[in-house]
Every structure is written in C-alpha cells, then in structure tokens.
Amino acid sequence: MPAPETDARRAAVLGSPIEHSLSPVLHRAAYRELGLGEWTYDRFEVDEAALPAFVEGLGPEWAGLSLTMPLKRAVMPLLDEISETAASVEAVNTVVFTEDGRRVGDNTDIPGMVAALREHGIEQVDSAAVLGAGATASSALAALARICTGEVVVYVRGPERAAEMRQWGERLGIEVRTADWADAEQALRAPLVIATTPAGATDALAAAVPGRPTTLFDVLYDPWPTDLAARWSAYGGAVVGGLDLLVHQAVFQVERMTGRHPAPVGAMRKAGERALASR
C-alpha cells in the first residue's frame, strides 16, 4: 500500500454494535485542533465474519482503524505486526497502516488507563481491587502491572473466571488473588478500586461505600455517573470515569495514526462531554 499523494486521509472505528461509539467525536475534535482538515473519521458496523473483507478492501488513503468489541482479538490474524502491549492481553484496539503497507496492531486501552490515573494524581499504589473478570479486567491488570507494587484482588463470579484472572496475573507478572463477588464490598476499602463491570452490576455496592473512600476508576461512561461513582464522589473520594479512559486511549490512537504529538486532550474531552450531554 504506497503512501497517498494527497493530504486526505481516512480512519474509522469498527465494531458491532457501533452506533453509540464516541470515537468519531473524539478523533474529529483532534483533527480540527491539529489542523488536519483533509482527514475524516467514520464508524462502520462490522462483525467478525465481515472483518477480513473490510480490511482487505481498504485503499492507500487509510491511516488507521479503531476496534471495539467483538473485533479486538479477531483482527490479530490479519496484521503484520503486533505490539508487546497488545500481545500481552491478546487484544488489539488500534491498527496503524504504515507507508510501506504494513498493518501494525497496538492496544491503547492499557496506557490509556495509566494516563487517566496519572492525570488524577495516581502514579503508584501498593495494592488494588478489580471488580469483574471480562476483557476490560485483563486490561486493568495490565495497567496495574505498571503501577501496583503489591497484591491485586479480583472479585469474580464463578471458579472459571477466577482461574482466568489468576492466569492473566501470572502472564502479566502481577500478584493476583481472586475473591467471590459476594464479598465485593470488601473491595471498596482498597487504595484503588477499578470497576470493569457492565451497567448496573455495581449499583448494589453503592450503599457500602466507606466513609473515607480512596480512588475509584469506573470504566463506564454512559450512563454516568453510576450509582457507585455518585456515592463515592459524594463521600469525598476521587473518581476516574470511563470518559477519562476513552479520551486517553483515543489520544494515543490519534498520535499513532497522525504522527502528531501531543494530541489535544482538552479539546477531545470537551467534545466527548458535549456529545454525552446531548444524549
């Protein structure tokens, strides 16, 4: 795929379902701020079956792709190179097309989590708790491997998920202990709590927020705030939200796809906030 002869470049987010993705809002805001008037960013409904043909059909004007569920693992066989970060969790959320036509996969969710926490003053913790055991939980463990010096307790439903999380801990080089979801209230006393569960899953925990909560990172952004995040904030705890994660992972995507540094974090966040407020 030779380099295009025009400044017009294309990028997009793929997934299924995709209609509610905020990625176009964030990336377009970045393009405006960076003066990339010829760049476009779209969204496409693409499932696992349609992904190979979609990727093969892309022309030289394409700079990159953002990938959401269920494509983060499905795209991996289609790539020429995968970063260590993406390989560590077997998930690619970013594909960059190089000038010589190579497809390079990366994962910006992990550094995005670290950057979102750093923005709120969290550089290092000596222990943490993770609520949930899905794909986002493995990314949370990868992020914690960079900033947590001690044990991470993951609260899960069922022994299979518990075994998976312990395996991820071994793979990522972080000390992981698992506990039953029935005891999830205990998680709320950790120095850092990362909630990776679907909407509504942590609502029942809101009543158990301690009087002096520490830091909660809730990866949801719509609806926001969650009951847990609202109670946490009301009690004076620090809250990092899903929009923080979404913005920071998109920042890394914009920088990788455009080659421009730094991406405009503030403009991207404001665009995301306006989009959410209008829903």
Side-chain angles (χ1 to χ4, degrees):
M1 184 168 61
E5 298 179 357
T6 173
D7 291 335
R9 304 300 305 275
R10 296 189 68 183
V13 59
L14 315 181
S16 183
I18 200 64
E19 64 271 13
H20 293 298
S21 173
L22 277 182
S23 292
V25 171
L26 302 180
H27 283 253
R28 291 168 185 168
Y31 297 166
R32 287 192 297 271
E33 197 74 10
L34 293 170
L36 299 174
E38 299 295 318
W39 283 61
T40 60
Y41 189 101
D42 302 297
R43 64 166 68 90
F44 293 95
E45 181 82 17
V46 178
D47 61 16
E48 292 167 287
L51 181 62
F54 186 95
V55 172
E56 290 297 333
L58 299 179
E61 73 278 12
W62 282 84
L65 297 171
S66 306
L67 299 161
T68 186
M69 298 303 292
L71 305 179
K72 293 184 179 183
R73 185 168 293 179
V75 75
M76 294 177 73
L78 308 177
L79 305 177
D80 299 300
E81 181 183 336
I82 297 172
S83 72
E84 290 185 11
T85 301
S88 73
V89 291
E90 298 180 358
V92 167
N93 79 326
T94 307
V95 176
V96 175
F97 301 110
T98 65
E99 290 187 0
D100 60 1
R102 292 174 59 79
R103 304 166 183 165
V104 179
D106 200 358
N107 186 306
T108 65
D109 288 330
I110 295 165
M113 284 186 174
V114 174
L117 286 166
R118 183 177 294 123
E119 186 178 47
H120 285 76
I122 307 299
E123 299 277 352
Q124 183 176 297
V125 292
D126 56 14
S127 63
V130 175
L131 299 173
T136 306
S138 60
S139 292
L141 288 179
L144 287 169
R146 302 184 180 191
I147 67 167
C148 185
T149 59
E151 181 184 68
V152 177
V153 184
V154 185
Y155 291 81
V156 302
R157 287 187 171 94
E160 290 185 4
R161 288 300 181 103
E164 288 176 7
M165 288 297 102
R166 288 193 295 270
Q167 289 171 1
W168 277 117
E170 292 176 7
R171 177 170 180 169
L172 294 165
I174 187 169
E175 183 183 354
V176 170
R177 177 168 64 87
T178 54
D180 191 271
W181 184 263
D183 299 320
E185 289 184 5
Q186 297 177 14
L188 308 185
R189 299 188 180 277
L192 171 62
V193 182
I194 303 182
T196 69
T197 50
T202 62
D203 288 355
L205 297 176
V209 172
R212 293 184 177 180
T214 52
T215 300
L216 170 69
F217 190 164
D218 195 324
V219 302
L220 294 174
Y221 64 86
D222 189 15
W224 184 261
T226 62
D227 288 356
L228 180 60
R231 179 68 66 93
W232 199 279
S233 181
Y235 279 23
V239 176
V240 185
L243 183 60
D244 295 312
L245 169 59
L246 197 64
V247 167
H248 280 285
Q249 65 82 28
V251 161
F252 287 113
Q253 288 185 336
V254 168
E255 291 175 349
R256 283 157 172 69
M257 292 180 192
T258 67
R260 301 289 189 90
H261 299 266
V265 180
M268 294 169 71
R269 176 178 282 109
K270 287 180 182 178
E273 289 171 346
R274 286 195 298 268
L276 288 175
S278 68
R279 290 185 176 180

